[in-house]
Amino acid sequence: MSSKPDSRPLSPYMLGPYYRFQITSLLSISGRLTGLFLAVVTLPVALAWLLALAAGPDSFATVKALFSGWCGKAVLLVSMLCLVFHTLNGIRHLAWDTGKGFEMSTVRASGWAVIIGTFLLTALAWWWAS
Ligand code: HEM
């Protein structure tokens, strides 16, 4: 009998010291969480802004003041990060739907492109909007 440790793959449910986080699972979870955040926070915020705009200058000034404080700005920044990430990751998913980009090296490269692109585009949009 060999004393070599068993090298069969472990179940991903064995978290903690056994499960190594991978860019594929990280982006898959983030795609879902950002979709949820966009639906529950960003869309209602955009709707409130549009309604205030339609209701007149007083309502608009109130909503504008609300989103000028640090808390409002944090919501806008996270919304922007989520929207850019979800869009880039969504484009990656749509490319997969055409049957392309499934080689592991391409999957990892497109994943990093999504992460780097998210921070670059968000920084650019934030700078442009400020
Ligand atoms: C405010 C706008 C948006 C909202 C509220 C939204 C919301 C969501 C939600 C809730 C999901 C389901 C996540 C899950 O699997 O549980 C989803 C998936 C998806 N979204 Fe969006 N989304 C938005 C914008 C976009 C944009 C602009 C794109 C552009 C490419 C996009 C592409 C996708 C794709 C391809 C999926 C499926 C991903 C998968 O198969 O895992 N979404 N979205």
Side-chain angles (χ1 to χ4, degrees), residues 32 35-36 38-39 43 83 86-87 90-91 93-94:
R32 276 138 207 228
L36 190 67
L38 288 174
L43 278 184
L83 184 62
H86 191 87
T87 304
I91 292 169
H93 270 270
L94 295 176

Side-chain angles (χ1 to χ4, degrees), residues 11-90:
S11 159
Y13 294 107
M14 292 184 74
L15 292 167
Y18 304 112
Y19 186 63
R20 194 165 49 92
F21 233 134
Q22 299 152 82
I23 188 168
T24 40
S25 51
L26 183 70
L27 291 199
S28 171
I29 294 163
S30 309
R32 276 138 207 228
L33 287 180
T34 51
L36 190 67
F37 189 91
L38 288 174
V40 175
V41 178
T42 308
L43 278 184
V45 164
L47 193 64
W49 188 83
L50 281 176
L51 286 175
L53 190 63
D58 288 345
S59 320
F60 185 68
T62 309
V63 169
K64 198 176 170 200
L66 206 64
F67 285 101
S68 300
W70 71 266
C71 193
K73 278 190 176 163
V75 171
L76 294 180
L77 181 60
V78 175
S79 286
M80 202 180 270
L81 274 168
C82 285
L83 184 62
V84 175
F85 174 86
H86 191 87
T87 304
L88 294 181
N89 198 45

Side-chain angles (χ1 to χ4, degrees), residues 3 6 9-10 14 31 44-45 50 57 64 74 84 114-115 119-120:
S3 61
D6 196 340
L10 292 168
M14 292 184 74
V45 164
L50 281 176
K64 198 176 170 200
V84 175
V114 166
I115 293 174
F119 286 106
L120 284 181

